[in-house]
């Protein structure tokens, strides 16, 4: 049996929770069995803790020999426990990574994180950069790649043709100076175009070039897909417009920001740092622009041709449909299952 377990989520508007519940839905639609509790939501921390614990315990009792258990990581204190239980019951585990605690939040040391992940039988990393980093730091179990996070939504994207003399750039996410100081510098360099900000925490008084910004506040993702007015989605993090720096910016070299998937579902071509792990995905699929620095972005946008825009918009429709159908999750999961079944003894 191929199975997974659901848990308690404080809310479904958070990007991390959205990514995890989308993957649960994709697995369910594929016919994999939820052997934990049904998905629960609510803000009560005590009941949330108890519901997740109940799901872990139910999963532990339900596992059987030769089962393949799909796990979403991180799972905090429960991860090592459920991996040990699976091995005791001679079941195999596939771990799909959402976030690495040894990076920006530094909740774990690198050796601690690698030791945890080595308890699984197979790891699904975000991309080849993360895969290499894990292996270089001691990951000893087989490892594949997701490619990009899927993004489920019934909403159709808004179809619009841009005004090529005045592009509208969308940035969605955390907007505070603590996480994204670059936002408070970028207005000085984007002089011909406008920046629409979606999220919480923006402090306009601290921003240079305030007239370039249009602060929309938080909007649920389904509504954003349906109503967003923009021409490009910006993927950038950190302290500087010159490069993605600091703990948050550095992480872009290894992770797949969920906002990238949101932009693609909105059918917005992506502007991304050239050294970001997802830059090759954007370039190979012809769905955006890779830049060294945001200081050069204004000039790059000014020199785009109408044909460039038409090609990017055409290509992004195809990729957006794949994300809406769960293509990347299904492909990575199926590859992991096949490799486990081929190369790992059932008694492991």
């Amino acid at each position: 049996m191929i199975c997974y377990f659901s848990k308690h989520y404080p809310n479904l508007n958070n990007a991390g929770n959205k990514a995890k519940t989308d993957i649960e839905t994709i697995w369910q639609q594929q016919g994999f069995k939820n052997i934990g509790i049904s998905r629960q939501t609510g803000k009560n921390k005590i009941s949330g803790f108890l519901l997740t614990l109940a799901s872990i315990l139910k999963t532990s009792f339900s596992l059987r020999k030769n089962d393949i258990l799909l796990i979403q990581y991180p799972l905090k204190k429960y991860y090592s426990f459920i991996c040990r239980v699976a091995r005791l019951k001679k079941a195999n585990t596939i771990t799909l990574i959402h976030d690495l605690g040894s990076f920006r939040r530094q909740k774990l040391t690198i050796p601690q994180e690698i030791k945890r992940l080595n308890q699984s039988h197979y790891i699904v990393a975000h991309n080849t950069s993360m895969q290499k980093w894990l292996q270089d730091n001691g990951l000893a179990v087989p490892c594949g790649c997701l490619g990009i996070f899927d993004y489920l939504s019934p909403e159709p994207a808004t179809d619009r043709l841009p005004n090529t003399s005045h592009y509208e750039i969308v940035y969605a996410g955390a907007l505070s100076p603590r996480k994204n100081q670059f936002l408070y510098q970028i207005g000085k360099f984007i002089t011909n175009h406008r920046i629409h900000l979606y999220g919480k925490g923006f402090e306009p008084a601290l921003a240079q070039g305030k007239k370039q910004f249009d602060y929309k506040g938080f909007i649920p993702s389904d509504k954003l897909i349906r109503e967003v007015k923009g021409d490009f989605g910006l993927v950038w993090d950190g302290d500087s417009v010159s490069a993605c720096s600091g703990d948050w910016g550095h992480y872009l070299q290894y992770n797949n920001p969920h906002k990238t998937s949101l932009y693609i579902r909105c059918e917005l071509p992506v502007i991304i740092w050239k050294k970001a792990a997802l830059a090759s995905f954007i370039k190979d699929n012809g769905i955006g622009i890779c830049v060294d620095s945001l200081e050069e972005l204004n000039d790059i946008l000014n020199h785009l041709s109408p044909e460039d825009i038409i090609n990017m918009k055409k290509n992004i429709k195809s990729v957006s449909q794949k994300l809406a159908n769960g293509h990347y999750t299904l492909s990575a999961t199926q590859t992991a299952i096949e490799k486990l079944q081929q190369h790992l003894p059932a008694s492991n």
Side-chain angles (χ1 to χ4, degrees), residues 177 181 183-185 202-208 210:
Q181 183 61 42
L183 279 174
Y184 297 81
Q185 307 166 32
F202 186 59
E203 300 181 33
L206 301 179
Q208 300 181 53
K210 291 191 286 288

Side-chain angles (χ1 to χ4, degrees), residues 5-8 34-40 50-52 54-56 58-59:
F5 57 91
S6 190
K7 62 189 250 336
H8 174 271
N34 177 12
I35 59 173
I37 64 169
S38 59
R39 184 186 304 165
Q40 305 288 324
L50 294 174
L51 287 166
T52 296
S55 190
I56 295 293
K58 186 172 184 291
T59 298

Side-chain angles (χ1 to χ4, degrees), residues 214-266:
D214 182 11
Y215 181 31
K216 303 286 191 179
F218 174 78
I219 295 179
S221 60
D222 282 347
K223 185 177 180 182
L224 186 67
I225 292 170
R226 184 175 65 247
E227 298 181 1
V228 68
K229 294 181 179 178
D231 304 312
F232 292 91
L234 175 62
V235 179
W236 201 272
D237 270 319
D239 305 331
S240 173
V241 293
S242 300
C244 290
S245 57
D247 291 338
W248 296 91
H250 178 65
Y251 195 31
L252 267 185
Q253 295 181 67
Y254 303 100
N255 82 317
N256 290 354
H258 200 236
K259 72 181 65 171
T260 314
S261 301
L262 173 59
Y263 296 150
I264 294 171
R265 280 291 289 114
C266 293

Side-chain angles (χ1 to χ4, degrees), residues 261-281:
S261 301
L262 173 59
Y263 296 150
I264 294 171
R265 280 291 289 114
C266 293
E267 297 184 5
L268 296 175
V270 176
I271 299 166
I272 193 169
W273 185 37
K274 193 171 286 186
K275 293 182 181 179
L278 272 179
S280 59
F281 182 92

Side-chain angles (χ1 to χ4, degrees), residues 137-150:
N137 282 281
L139 187 72
V141 298
C143 182
C145 296
L146 178 64
I148 193 169
F149 282 104
D150 292 305

Side-chain angles (χ1 to χ4, degrees), residues 41-251:
T41 59
K43 294 185 178 181
N44 187 298
K45 291 184 179 181
I46 295 175
S47 64
F49 167 78
L50 294 174
L51 287 166
T52 296
L53 178 60
S55 190
I56 295 293
L57 293 175
K58 186 172 184 291
T59 298
S60 301
F61 286 113
S62 302
L63 270 178
R64 298 290 182 265
K65 182 179 179 180
N66 297 327
D67 284 349
I68 294 178
L69 177 64
L70 306 172
I71 304 172
Q72 300 197 66
Y73 178 94
L75 195 59
K76 297 184 178 178
K77 59 181 76 69
Y78 307 113
Y79 181 75
S80 294
F81 172 77
I82 200 69
C83 286
R84 285 197 294 267
V85 169
R87 287 185 178 272
L88 285 171
K89 293 201 166 189
K90 302 187 187 308
N92 292 317
T93 55
I94 295 171
T95 296
L96 190 153
I97 294 175
H98 285 269
D99 197 21
L100 293 172
S102 54
F103 268 89
R104 54 189 177 188
R105 293 184 177 87
Q106 299 179 347
K107 297 289 187 181
L108 297 169
T109 65
I110 293 172
Q112 286 173 331
E113 186 135 63
I114 297 299
K115 183 178 179 181
R116 277 192 184 184
L117 292 171
N118 274 331
Q119 296 174 94
S120 186
H121 292 89
Y122 189 99
I123 302 295
V124 179
H126 289 193
N127 49 64
T128 55
S129 295
M130 181 179 284
Q131 179 187 40
K132 184 178 185 303
W133 183 89
L134 290 168
Q135 292 169 338
D136 288 348
N137 282 281
L139 187 72
V141 298
C143 182
C145 296
L146 178 64
I148 193 169
F149 282 104
D150 292 305
Y151 208 105
L152 305 187
S153 172
E155 297 293 340
T158 301
D159 197 6
R160 55 170 279 171
L161 291 175
N163 178 345
T164 55
S165 65
H166 179 83
Y167 292 117
E168 298 182 23
I169 302 166
V170 172
Y171 185 85
L175 307 177
S176 69
R178 181 189 68 82
K179 181 181 183 293
N180 281 318
Q181 183 61 42
F182 84 90
L183 279 174
Y184 297 81
Q185 307 166 32
I186 190 176
K188 182 170 62 174
F189 302 100
I190 308 298
T191 55
N192 295 65
H193 314 287
R194 193 155 179 81
I195 305 165
H196 299 294
L197 300 177
Y198 293 88
K200 298 178 180 179
F202 186 59
E203 300 181 33
L206 301 179
Q208 300 181 53
K210 291 191 286 288
K211 62 182 175 58
Q212 303 304 126
F213 292 100
D214 182 11
Y215 181 31
K216 303 286 191 179
F218 174 78
I219 295 179
S221 60
D222 282 347
K223 185 177 180 182
L224 186 67
I225 292 170
R226 184 175 65 247
E227 298 181 1
V228 68
K229 294 181 179 178
D231 304 312
F232 292 91
L234 175 62
V235 179
W236 201 272
D237 270 319
D239 305 331
S240 173
V241 293
S242 300
C244 290
S245 57
D247 291 338
W248 296 91
H250 178 65
Y251 195 31

